[in-house]
Amino acid sequence: MFKNHPKGLIPAALSNMGERFGYYIMNAVLVLFLCSKFGLNEETSTLIYSFFYAGIYVLSLVGGYIADKTQNYKGTIISGLMVMTMGYVVLSVPILATSGNTTWLLTLTCFALFLIAFGNGLFKGNLQAIVGQLYDNPKYSSQRDSGFQIFYVFINIGGVAAPFVAPMLRSWWLNVNGMSYNASFPAMCHEYLSVTDSMAEENINNLYALATQVGHQSSEQIADFCSRYLDVFNTGIHYSFIASVAAMLISLAIFIFTKNGLPNPARKEEVVESKYTAEEKAAMATEIKQRMYALFAVLGIAIFFWFSFHQNGTSMSLFARDFVDTSTIAPEIWQAVNPFFVIFLTPLIIILFSTLSKAGKEISTPRKIAIGMGLAGIAYLFMTLYSLYMGYPSGTEFRSMSEAAKAGLLSGPWVLILYYFFMTVAELFISPLGLSFVSKVAPKHMQGLCQGLWLGATAVGNLLLWIGPLIYNKAPIWVAWAVFLAVCLVSMGIMFGMVKWLERVTK
């Protein structure tokens, strides 16, 4: 799989893998952590998540501009890793949230998320620009798509292990303190501590029943136990962010020790630029304009893919918590299914594309992206039909039901596995190939900025993530899945309509 690829690919991929491992530890638990830490409702926590996730990609435009302007891609990447590390350090400090400190503590948490987003903006797009530069060498140019697919595999190696870290440390810390895990209990604790006497009788009965299961002793006041449980529960998650700090430092060390073997896009462009005549520059201006039009067309489609795909951290996390049996597997761990499939399926996808190419039936990058949108639609078609068949209500209505009634509606893990299978295949047709497409059409002096634009499109999609949980909690959940199904199908149709034009522009 690594044959005929430049030597710099693996060091760059390893550096990215370490950073992604640290990031996915935090990402796997962020929405549920904000709910359990501060007692936020799902809509508010997913809104914070949406702005944070969007910030990562919006700030990639800033990071790309800085690297292009200073012609110091490697220095910008190193700065990004250091800023991210500081953000994770802040998150790793366990402080109990109370009614007296929630405002400043939530503000501090959001500041830590900003540091992570800004550092990611300095790091992510510029490393991708360097990887694209590796394939500007004619010796490797035919391997560009597969090179980015390999790069993408390393991202997801970190993503497979990361979702296990926070649940493992949280459960360990609960056990140390004589408690056990229950996904529903933190929300009940917050409700009881905020309303106490006005809490519905059925909810109080559920609270006492779950409290007994997770370690409450009759001699302890239920209010005291709720406060203690929340403290222990969230402290375990804070400890997992220490692993994120360690991952950042490893990634930083890898990049520093291997950066001399990586190209500098800006410096190479200075050499090439001096060889252009005035006539050649005029011709290039027209070509660059057409390529930028093509880039923005694909960015428009990418917005809607990421809007649908990144529901894995919002409405799909809520679905895993509410409607899937998590008695043996914590809901956050299901986010490891997607990166596992990426690692498992990428070699098969590479073999498929290679076989078709050798047979003279090569599929262009724009056509692959269109097919990917259709595959994402299949994932949501399945979720729509399954939720209709099960008669699932809204998330809010479901959570108000008795424990016995909820138990009768829980689905098996196969539902999430099947959903993530189709979404992962779609991702492999879109995300790494989108990076390849950007590196192919971007002007050499705008590599960092154009990679930032691709990430900026992701940001716009992420700004819409809150819509999924909003529908999920307000209407029968099949309605939410049907909205994403429609988005994917419309995007697929538009992309297929542009394929021939995009193929002409990128030849």
mmCIF file of all heavy atoms in Angstrom, residues 430-446:
data_model
loop_
_atom_site.group_PDB
_atom_site.id
_atom_site.type_symbol
_atom_site.label_atom_id
_atom_site.label_comp_id
_atom_site.label_asym_id
_atom_site.label_seq_id
_atom_site.Cartn_x
_atom_site.Cartn_y
_atom_site.Cartn_z
ATOM 1 N N ILE A 430 -15.365 10.805 -0.089
ATOM 2 C CA ILE A 430 -15.464 12.267 -0.084
ATOM 3 C C ILE A 430 -14.287 12.946 0.610
ATOM 4 O O ILE A 430 -13.604 13.788 0.011
ATOM 5 C CB ILE A 430 -16.791 12.716 0.573
ATOM 6 C CG1 ILE A 430 -17.979 12.253 -0.277
ATOM 7 C CG2 ILE A 430 -16.825 14.236 0.729
ATOM 8 C CD1 ILE A 430 -19.331 12.541 0.339
ATOM 9 N N SER A 431 -14.014 12.594 1.860
ATOM 10 C CA SER A 431 -13.076 13.400 2.638
ATOM 11 C C SER A 431 -11.631 13.333 2.137
ATOM 12 O O SER A 431 -11.063 14.369 1.776
ATOM 13 C CB SER A 431 -13.143 13.013 4.109
ATOM 14 O OG SER A 431 -12.347 13.888 4.883
ATOM 15 N N PRO A 432 -10.994 12.153 2.083
ATOM 16 C CA PRO A 432 -9.602 12.153 1.600
ATOM 17 C C PRO A 432 -9.487 12.577 0.146
ATOM 18 O O PRO A 432 -8.506 13.217 -0.259
ATOM 19 C CB PRO A 432 -9.152 10.694 1.796
ATOM 20 C CG PRO A 432 -10.409 9.908 1.841
ATOM 21 C CD PRO A 432 -11.436 10.805 2.451
ATOM 22 N N LEU A 433 -10.516 12.249 -0.653
ATOM 23 C CA LEU A 433 -10.481 12.626 -2.068
ATOM 24 C C LEU A 433 -10.754 14.119 -2.233
ATOM 25 O O LEU A 433 -10.289 14.745 -3.191
ATOM 26 C CB LEU A 433 -11.489 11.791 -2.855
ATOM 27 C CG LEU A 433 -11.225 10.277 -2.772
ATOM 28 C CD1 LEU A 433 -12.284 9.504 -3.522
ATOM 29 C CD2 LEU A 433 -9.845 9.938 -3.305
ATOM 30 N N GLY A 434 -11.518 14.697 -1.304
ATOM 31 C CA GLY A 434 -11.700 16.144 -1.322
ATOM 32 C C GLY A 434 -10.391 16.860 -1.044
ATOM 33 O O GLY A 434 -10.060 17.861 -1.681
ATOM 34 N N LEU A 435 -9.605 16.338 -0.085
ATOM 35 C CA LEU A 435 -8.281 16.906 0.193
ATOM 36 C C LEU A 435 -7.386 16.803 -1.034
ATOM 37 O O LEU A 435 -6.644 17.727 -1.369
ATOM 38 C CB LEU A 435 -7.631 16.176 1.368
ATOM 39 C CG LEU A 435 -8.347 16.246 2.722
ATOM 40 C CD1 LEU A 435 -7.599 15.409 3.755
ATOM 41 C CD2 LEU A 435 -8.486 17.681 3.182
ATOM 42 N N SER A 436 -7.457 15.653 -1.696
ATOM 43 C CA SER A 436 -6.673 15.451 -2.916
ATOM 44 C C SER A 436 -7.099 16.439 -4.002
ATOM 45 O O SER A 436 -6.264 17.031 -4.696
ATOM 46 C CB SER A 436 -6.843 14.010 -3.405
ATOM 47 O OG SER A 436 -6.201 13.808 -4.641
ATOM 48 N N PHE A 437 -8.415 16.635 -4.145
ATOM 49 C CA PHE A 437 -8.953 17.549 -5.154
ATOM 50 C C PHE A 437 -8.460 18.969 -4.907
ATOM 51 O O PHE A 437 -8.032 19.667 -5.836
ATOM 52 C CB PHE A 437 -10.480 17.499 -5.118
ATOM 53 C CG PHE A 437 -11.151 18.396 -6.115
ATOM 54 C CD1 PHE A 437 -11.348 17.991 -7.423
ATOM 55 C CD2 PHE A 437 -11.593 19.667 -5.740
ATOM 56 C CE1 PHE A 437 -11.972 18.817 -8.340
ATOM 57 C CE2 PHE A 437 -12.210 20.496 -6.650
ATOM 58 C CZ PHE A 437 -12.400 20.071 -7.964
ATOM 59 N N VAL A 438 -8.494 19.392 -3.640
ATOM 60 C CA VAL A 438 -8.041 20.752 -3.300
ATOM 61 C C VAL A 438 -6.568 20.924 -3.635
ATOM 62 O O VAL A 438 -6.155 21.928 -4.229
ATOM 63 C CB VAL A 438 -8.309 21.059 -1.817
ATOM 64 C CG1 VAL A 438 -7.680 22.404 -1.428
ATOM 65 C CG2 VAL A 438 -9.802 21.085 -1.531
ATOM 66 N N SER A 439 -5.747 19.947 -3.249
ATOM 67 C CA SER A 439 -4.311 20.061 -3.511
ATOM 68 C C SER A 439 -4.011 20.064 -5.005
ATOM 69 O O SER A 439 -3.004 20.609 -5.448
ATOM 70 C CB SER A 439 -3.562 18.913 -2.832
ATOM 71 O OG SER A 439 -3.763 17.686 -3.498
ATOM 72 N N LYS A 440 -4.916 19.474 -5.788
ATOM 73 C CA LYS A 440 -4.725 19.392 -7.240
ATOM 74 C C LYS A 440 -5.072 20.709 -7.931
ATOM 75 O O LYS A 440 -4.391 21.135 -8.864
ATOM 76 C CB LYS A 440 -5.590 18.264 -7.806
ATOM 77 C CG LYS A 440 -5.316 17.911 -9.255
ATOM 78 C CD LYS A 440 -6.284 16.820 -9.745
ATOM 79 C CE LYS A 440 -6.156 15.564 -8.919
ATOM 80 N NZ LYS A 440 -7.069 14.493 -9.379
ATOM 81 N N VAL A 441 -6.149 21.374 -7.487
ATOM 82 C CA VAL A 441 -6.614 22.574 -8.190
ATOM 83 C C VAL A 441 -6.066 23.864 -7.584
ATOM 84 O O VAL A 441 -6.115 24.909 -8.232
ATOM 85 C CB VAL A 441 -8.167 22.646 -8.208
ATOM 86 C CG1 VAL A 441 -8.754 21.423 -8.866
ATOM 87 C CG2 VAL A 441 -8.734 22.835 -6.810
ATOM 88 N N ALA A 442 -5.538 23.806 -6.356
ATOM 89 C CA ALA A 442 -5.110 25.040 -5.680
ATOM 90 C C ALA A 442 -3.857 25.627 -6.333
ATOM 91 O O ALA A 442 -2.915 24.895 -6.646
ATOM 92 C CB ALA A 442 -4.829 24.762 -4.210
ATOM 93 N N PRO A 443 -3.823 26.950 -6.551
ATOM 94 C CA PRO A 443 -2.585 27.598 -6.998
ATOM 95 C C PRO A 443 -1.481 27.365 -5.975
ATOM 96 O O PRO A 443 -1.735 27.335 -4.772
ATOM 97 C CB PRO A 443 -2.970 29.085 -7.070
ATOM 98 C CG PRO A 443 -4.459 29.099 -7.184
ATOM 99 C CD PRO A 443 -4.936 27.910 -6.413
ATOM 100 N N LYS A 444 -0.252 27.219 -6.453
ATOM 101 C CA LYS A 444 0.848 26.843 -5.564
ATOM 102 C C LYS A 444 1.084 27.854 -4.442
ATOM 103 O O LYS A 444 1.452 27.487 -3.341
ATOM 104 C CB LYS A 444 2.139 26.670 -6.382
ATOM 105 C CG LYS A 444 2.069 25.528 -7.393
ATOM 106 C CD LYS A 444 1.911 24.196 -6.687
ATOM 107 C CE LYS A 444 1.908 23.035 -7.669
ATOM 108 N NZ LYS A 444 0.722 23.015 -8.535
ATOM 109 N N HIS A 445 0.858 29.149 -4.735
ATOM 110 C CA HIS A 445 1.098 30.162 -3.711
ATOM 111 C C HIS A 445 -0.082 30.311 -2.752
ATOM 112 O O HIS A 445 -0.054 31.154 -1.859
ATOM 113 C CB HIS A 445 1.393 31.513 -4.364
ATOM 114 C CG HIS A 445 0.251 32.058 -5.176
ATOM 115 N ND1 HIS A 445 -0.137 31.505 -6.376
ATOM 116 C CD2 HIS A 445 -0.593 33.092 -4.937
ATOM 117 C CE1 HIS A 445 -1.171 32.184 -6.852
ATOM 118 N NE2 HIS A 445 -1.462 33.149 -5.999
ATOM 119 N N MET A 446 -1.144 29.488 -2.947
ATOM 120 C CA MET A 446 -2.322 29.558 -2.084
ATOM 121 C C MET A 446 -2.669 28.190 -1.501
ATOM 122 O O MET A 446 -3.809 27.932 -1.136
ATOM 123 C CB MET A 446 -3.522 30.100 -2.883
ATOM 124 C CG MET A 446 -3.353 31.517 -3.383
ATOM 125 S SD MET A 446 -4.692 32.005 -4.498
ATOM 126 C CE MET A 446 -6.118 31.874 -3.436
#
